[in-house]
Amino acid sequence: MRTIILYFLSLAVTGVFAFFSGRLLERREIASSVQPATAPVEARFPRQPARPKKEPEPPQAEEPTVEAVTDTLAVIAAAAEQLSIASVGQAGQLEMMRLIGKLPPGEISAALAEAEKLPHGKVRQSITAGVIARWAESDGRAAMDYTLTQLSHANRPAALAAALSSWSDHDPSGALAWYQSKVNSDPDFELAIGAKPVYLLPTIFQGLVARDISTAYSAFSRLSSNEEKDQALDGIAAASLSNEQTQHALDLAGSTLGEAARAARLRLVSNWGQREPAAAAAWVSAVRDPTEKSQLARAVAQTWIAFEPTAAVPWLLENTPQAERPTVVELATTIWVNSDPNATAEWLGTLPKGEESDLGVSTLARNIVAIEPVSAFSWASTIENEAIRRQTMIAVISEWRFRDPEGAVEALNASDLPPETIADYLKRTVPAK
């Protein structure tokens, strides 16, 4: 579990989080369909004009407020319509959030009142969460307090997640101060949020890193428990760090977390490997502990192999103890075969015969049987280890007979296998009726 977002949110609420966090998409103008085509965009949410000093405003000056309320009703209605479409996807959800993102701070109460009129369900939950996240941009503390005291338990988690993300994006230091105050003074805080309070820290620290990495590290050093530091490092790891900043975070984990350091470093390196696999690999190569190095190498390689297998696979083997190489070959084959089965087969052909080669070939055969059953059968038959060969052959023949019963049996009978072996395979791979 990384954040309270992952703990609670549905797809619709993830759209809320993605928009208001400001980390996935930039805000765009509200769709012109909210306002009649004859009205300019600026007229929807008119700014309060400067008041002339020489004479009071006429009674008509009240009209902009009425117009703003009217626009608020239209925004909520349009947002609800976006989510009511049966085939709504992420684009529709983000469009809904762009509509809500145009609400002026003074219209939050009116927008929440309109959201409360909607039927109970995901549409109401998502719109309420979006409005509160919009509120949190300017007053995070008030938005969070409203969420914890005024919303039902069913609607609270989504709004809490969206508000915390928005607040952490705009004022992460304020969000952290609020968190620490609640932890120290509110015995019912965990009950109110429906999760351990430390699960709020990744979101807050991701915001801190985005604002100022040095402030994030300073705040990290003041955390009181290893559990808090561990969760804070999750947020730091998830942020878009430079290579130098990532190394600093790894050093922090090693020097402050004690026994929890290894798990934290693994998460940091995993995220680094997704962003800059070559840089992460260079750092892992210098790790002295062979057990930790092996774990870190696998974490980096799982992403790297998918994009640069010819560089990632040899590096992974070089940084793996001999006893673990068979498992690593199996892992590399599993990833590589999905993108280039021919290159994977060619690489496996260069490996010395033995357990690691057998496991790799077994993985290859199982993965290609659906598209190349003859090749899968041929590869499976080259496995030296009798137990691995037999298991692989049964798996391959079973899949082949399921897809092409006559062709599979014909090929099996035409093979060089002993008759008793053929009979055993046929017995154990009877297609399901």
Side-chain angles (χ1 to χ4, degrees):
M1 181 185 303
R2 292 247 167 154
T3 70
I4 196 169
I5 306 296
L6 298 182
Y7 194 83
F8 288 118
L9 295 188
S10 63
L11 178 63
V13 178
T14 301
V16 175
F17 165 63
F19 178 81
F20 278 108
S21 67
R23 301 185 185 104
L24 299 182
L25 291 174
E26 295 181 352
R27 293 185 177 85
R28 297 203 298 237
E29 287 297 317
I30 187 170
S32 59
S33 60
V34 174
Q35 185 73 12
T38 56
V41 172
E42 292 79 3
R44 287 191 299 248
F45 302 118
R47 295 180 180 178
Q48 185 68 29
R51 296 179 181 273
K53 295 182 179 179
K54 56 184 180 180
E55 60 181 2
E57 291 287 333
Q60 290 81 356
E62 296 287 330
E63 292 183 3
T65 302
V66 175
E67 184 67 18
V69 173
T70 302
D71 282 341
T72 297
L73 303 182
V75 165
I76 299 302
E81 183 178 1
Q82 285 289 332
L83 292 184
S84 298
I85 301 173
S87 60
V88 65
Q90 188 176 19
Q93 294 158 17
L94 292 177
E95 181 60 28
M96 176 270 292
M97 295 316 307
R98 292 187 189 101
L99 293 170
I100 293 177
K102 293 298 294 184
L103 290 171
E107 290 301 306
I108 295 299
S109 295
L112 288 172
E114 286 305 306
E116 289 180 359
K117 297 177 183 177
L118 298 172
H120 289 286
K122 289 185 178 180
V123 171
R124 175 173 171 176
Q125 182 187 65
S126 297
I127 291 178
T128 299
V131 173
I132 290 178
R134 177 75 173 110
W135 187 5
E137 292 182 13
S138 57
D139 193 344
R141 185 177 295 273
M144 295 296 279
D145 288 345
Y146 176 90
T147 299
L148 294 178
T149 60
Q150 302 300 316
L151 295 186
S152 67
H153 282 280
N155 291 321
R156 188 179 302 167
L160 175 64
L164 182 65
S165 176
S166 179
W167 191 9
S168 298
D169 214 38
H170 292 81
D171 179 20
S173 295
L176 179 61
W178 172 84
Y179 161 83
Q180 292 171 329
S181 174
K182 296 293 287 185
V183 168
N184 294 329
S185 63
D186 187 352
D188 297 324
F189 189 37
E190 180 172 342
L191 181 63
I193 65 175
K196 296 180 69 173
V198 293
Y199 293 141
L200 303 176
L201 286 174
T203 298
I204 295 173
F205 269 82
Q206 196 168 354
L208 284 168
V209 169
R211 281 301 179 97
D212 181 9
I213 188 68
S214 61
T215 300
Y217 288 146
S218 177
F220 174 88
S221 66
R222 294 193 298 271
L223 295 175
S224 58
S225 70
N226 280 353
E227 187 177 21
E228 286 186 324
K229 291 179 179 179
D230 184 63
Q231 291 296 319
L233 274 174
D234 260 357
I236 294 174
S240 298
L241 301 177
S242 67
N243 294 334
E244 182 179 357
Q245 290 170 338
T246 302
Q247 292 184 49
H248 189 175
L250 287 162
D251 292 340
L252 275 178
S255 62
T256 63
L257 289 183
E259 295 181 356
R262 179 167 291 185
R265 282 155 65 99
L266 179 60
R267 291 197 303 278
L268 284 162
V269 168
S270 295
N271 280 272
W272 192 9
Q274 294 174 22
R275 300 190 304 269
E276 296 282 350
W283 185 88
V284 170
S285 296
V287 173
R288 294 184 178 181
D289 184 287
T291 301
E292 183 178 20
K293 176 185 282 192
S294 177
Q295 293 176 333
L296 297 174
R298 293 188 198 192
V300 172
Q302 286 189 11
T303 298
W304 198 11
I305 290 173
F307 298 98
E308 296 182 291
T310 56
V313 172
W315 172 84
L316 176 61
L317 293 174
E318 289 174 5
N319 289 276
T320 299
Q322 187 65 38
E324 299 178 16
R325 284 174 62 97
T327 303
V328 166
V329 168
E330 187 177 16
L331 170 66
T333 304
T334 301
I335 300 172
W336 195 352
V337 73
N338 288 322
S339 59
D340 193 343
N342 289 327
T344 308
E346 184 178 348
W347 166 67
L348 288 171
T350 68
L351 297 179
K353 289 293 185 179
E355 184 183 4
E356 61 187 65
S357 173
D358 285 346
L359 288 174
V361 169
S362 176
T363 302
L364 173 70
R366 293 168 187 264
N367 277 272
I368 67 174
V369 63
I371 55 175
E372 286 289 343
V374 175
S375 295
F377 181 85
S378 177
W379 273 102
S381 66
T382 67
I383 297 173
E384 290 193 340
N385 183 280
E386 182 178 353
I388 298 175
R389 183 178 64 252
R390 186 167 185 274
Q391 293 171 0
T392 306
M393 290 288 279
I394 291 174
V396 167
I397 296 168
S398 294
E399 180 69 17
W400 195 358
R401 293 187 73 181
F402 175 78
R403 295 175 179 274
D404 181 12
E406 293 181 2
V409 173
E410 182 180 346
L412 188 58
N413 287 326
S415 69
D416 295 332
L417 295 173
E420 60 273 16
T421 303
I422 294 175
D424 181 60
Y425 286 154
L426 289 174
K427 178 181 177 180
R428 295 179 181 279
T429 60
V430 177
K433 295 182 181 180

